[in-house]
Amino acid sequence: MKTDLIMKANPNILVTVLFFLTFLMHFSLWKFVFHLDEIIIVKFYLFLSVMFMMMITLIILINRVAPQFLGLSVIGLILLKFGLMYMIRKKLNFEAVPDYKFHFIIPYFVLTTLLTYYAIRLINHDKKQ
């Protein structure tokens, strides 16, 4: 029963819940296990949140205008996100954090996976109709 509810849940709600769970788990590890400054992680997730919502919005717009190019657009958006992350890393001072690659690459890939999942759900939803 619960698995049916989760499988049929609105992808917007599911992606949002998974995003916040990722943030809570990472923030808890950051603050209580590694005892690092929380300002850096909050800035990082704020940046990721804005980028994630912009990309979801772009995916929805592309799906409405040209749904046949949605898959290719997701690849382009992921490359754009990677470029922006590379540019912003100096601004957020990632190198000051011990094992910064571990702390910043995992959330990046989690959100990239959620973005891909959302796009796949849109593509599958369009094929059903």
Side-chain angles (χ1 to χ4, degrees):
M1 178 79 174
K2 282 188 175 184
T3 52
D4 291 337
L5 180 64
I6 292 172
M7 296 303 273
K8 293 182 181 181
N10 186 347
N12 296 339
I13 295 169
L14 187 61
V15 166
T16 304
V17 167
L18 288 174
F19 173 75
F20 283 113
L21 286 175
T22 302
F23 171 70
L24 289 176
M25 287 183 347
H26 193 199
F27 186 79
S28 298
L29 284 172
W30 185 276
K31 181 73 176 157
F32 302 115
V33 175
F34 298 110
H35 305 290
L36 297 170
D37 184 24
E38 61 269 355
I39 297 298
I40 294 174
I41 193 80
V42 170
K43 284 182 182 178
F44 176 66
Y45 271 95
L46 184 61
F47 173 75
L48 279 181
S49 299
V50 169
M51 286 300 302
F52 186 69
M53 290 302 133
M54 285 176 31
M55 291 192 177
I56 290 291
T57 303
L58 285 172
I59 285 176
I60 291 170
L61 290 173
I62 292 168
N63 189 45
R64 288 185 182 162
V65 175
Q68 67 272 20
F69 297 116
L70 185 61
L72 188 61
S73 300
V74 170
I75 294 170
L77 288 172
I78 290 171
L79 288 173
L80 176 69
K81 181 179 170 185
F82 180 75
L84 290 172
M85 284 297 298
Y86 184 77
M87 289 176 15
I88 198 76
R89 72 181 169 84
K90 296 278 187 195
K91 184 81 171 162
L92 291 178
N93 198 17
F94 288 167
E95 288 84 11
V97 177
D99 298 325
Y100 73 95
K101 291 178 183 175
F102 170 75
H103 284 291
F104 299 116
I105 289 187
I106 291 175
Y108 172 81
F109 283 128
V110 167
L111 290 179
T112 302
T113 303
L114 290 175
L115 185 73
T116 306
Y117 169 76
Y118 189 80
I120 289 170
R121 292 289 300 236
L122 281 177
I123 290 169
N124 288 340
H125 183 266
D126 286 344
K127 285 184 179 180
K128 288 180 184 176
Q129 291 182 347

